[in-house]
Amino acid sequence: MATATATRKFATRNDLASDVRESMVGLLNQHLADTFDLGSQIKQAHWNVKGPQFYQLHTLFDSLADSVEDYVDLIAERATALGGTAMGTARMAASNSRLPEYPLDAVSGMQHVAALVERFANLAKTTRAAIETAASAGDTSTSDLFTEVSRGLDKHLWFLESHLAAEAGK
Ligand SMILES: [Fe+2]
C-alpha cells in the first residue's frame, strides 16, 4: 500500500495542517483505488450478466457504475484539493485496491448480484470507517465527502440485496 500514501505534495493555502492533509490524501487515495476498482467490477457485471433478468440487471449495473464513478471523481479531486496527487490510473487502482478480484465464473444474474453485494458491503464498511477517521483527524469536509459516498453505497447495497431477498422468499 506504500504507493497509496507516498505521493507528491503541492503547496496550498488550504488552512488544514499539513500532517492532516497528508494523512487525508493517503486515506483518499486508498478509497480512490478501492472505489475505482469497484466501478470497473460493476462494469464487468454489466457486460457479462446473462439470464432472464438480463436487461433489468444490465441497466441497473450501469446506473450503479455511473454513481460509483462519480464518487471516484469526488474522492480524487478532494485528494488534489488538499495538495496531494491523485493515484488514479487503472494500474494504481489494481495494485492498491483492497477488494477481491471479480469472479470469472459468475454468469447468471444472481451470481453477479451476489458478487457485487459482497464488494459493495466491503467498500461500504471501509467508507463508513473513513467518515470517522477523517472527522477524528479534524477534516470535516473529507468526513462529509465520505458520508455522502457511504449513503450512496448503502442505497446501492439495498438495491442489490433486494434481488437476493426476493429469490430466497425472505
Ligand atoms: Fe454499456
Side-chain angles (χ1 to χ4, degrees), residues 1 8 15 23-24 26 37 50 53 58 70 74 80 92 99 101 111 123 126 130 139 141 144 158:
M1 301 286 173
R8 186 172 172 192
D15 65 299
S23 71
M24 289 300 99
D37 189 17
K50 299 189 189 307
Q53 294 171 293
H58 174 74
D70 286 346
L74 280 178
T80 47
M92 291 169 190
L99 296 186
E101 178 56 293
Q111 287 171 331
L123 186 61
T126 60
D139 184 352
S141 294
D144 178 67
W158 164 54

Side-chain angles (χ1 to χ4, degrees), residues 43 46-47 58 62:
K43 280 293 197 179
H46 165 72
W47 294 319
H58 174 74
D62 215 22

Side-chain angles (χ1 to χ4, degrees), residues 139-160:
D139 184 352
T140 50
S141 294
T142 296
S143 181
D144 178 67
L145 185 155
F146 282 124
T147 302
E148 177 181 347
V149 174
S150 170
R151 190 166 50 240
L153 294 174
D154 283 352
K155 182 177 177 182
H156 297 343
L157 181 60
W158 164 54
F159 275 29
L160 291 165

Side-chain angles (χ1 to χ4, degrees), residues 18 31 62 128 155:
S18 65
H31 280 264
D62 215 22
R128 200 180 321 284
K155 182 177 177 182

Side-chain angles (χ1 to χ4, degrees), residues 41 44-46 48-53 57 61 101-119 160 163-164 167:
Q41 295 198 22
Q44 178 76 4
H46 165 72
N48 290 295
V49 66
K50 299 189 189 307
Q53 294 171 293
L57 291 175
F61 295 161
E101 178 56 293
Y102 200 76
L104 277 175
D105 59 353
V107 177
S108 74
M110 290 313 112
Q111 287 171 331
H112 283 288
V113 168
L116 290 178
V117 161
E118 181 187 355
R119 285 153 183 79
L160 291 165
H163 293 79
L164 300 177
E167 190 171 70

Side-chain angles (χ1 to χ4, degrees), residues 53-135:
Q53 294 171 293
F54 164 76
Y55 194 69
Q56 187 263 123
L57 291 175
H58 174 74
T59 304
L60 170 65
F61 295 161
D62 215 22
S63 76
L64 298 184
D66 283 346
S67 292
V68 168
E69 285 161 8
D70 286 346
Y71 299 150
V72 169
D73 205 47
L74 280 178
I75 293 165
E77 290 176 0
R78 181 69 187 160
T80 47
L82 293 177
T85 298
M87 304 294 279
T89 72
R91 273 179 259 208
M92 291 169 190
S95 65
N96 293 324
S97 175
R98 294 172 293 187
L99 296 186
E101 178 56 293
Y102 200 76
L104 277 175
D105 59 353
V107 177
S108 74
M110 290 313 112
Q111 287 171 331
H112 283 288
V113 168
L116 290 178
V117 161
E118 181 187 355
R119 285 153 183 79
F120 267 92
N122 183 320
L123 186 61
K125 181 178 180 180
T126 60
T127 299
R128 200 180 321 284
I131 297 169
E132 190 56 42
T133 302

